[in-house]
Amino acid sequence: PGIYVCAKCGHELFSSRAKYEHSSPWPAFTDTVREDSVAKRKERPGALKVSCGKCGNGLGHEFLNDGPKRGQSRF
């Protein structure tokens, strides 16, 4: 339990309350701690490139409509 932070700068990104089991080998989250926790840019249809909202460190992707509930995204 707790808050996941950026490995580069320590900025708060995700809460363990938003973590869920997914078939991918990486941790999956439904939401960020705050709206400015991450920066996003469109990479391809259905996926946004995600980086730390403070230092720009690459974090992976937000997959739109791929969360545990209909309409939710997966980080």
Side-chain angles (χ1 to χ4, degrees), residues 27-51:
F29 301 90
T30 56
D31 205 0
T32 59
V33 172
R34 292 184 307 272
E35 193 172 316
D36 67 347
S37 291
V38 300
K40 306 173 190 180
R41 67 175 171 79
K42 189 170 183 172
E43 185 173 73
R44 61 181 189 266
L48 305 173
K49 190 75 171 170
V50 178
S51 57

Side-chain angles (χ1 to χ4, degrees), residues 4-20:
Y4 290 78
V5 300
C6 175
K8 189 172 180 180
C9 74
H11 188 60
E12 293 184 347
L13 303 171
F14 304 101
S15 168
S16 60
R17 286 185 232 124
K19 188 176 178 184
Y20 72 99

Side-chain angles (χ1 to χ4, degrees), residues 45-64:
L48 305 173
K49 190 75 171 170
V50 178
S51 57
C52 174
K54 184 175 181 182
C55 74
N57 187 35
L59 301 173
H61 294 86
E62 176 182 0
F63 297 99
L64 307 175

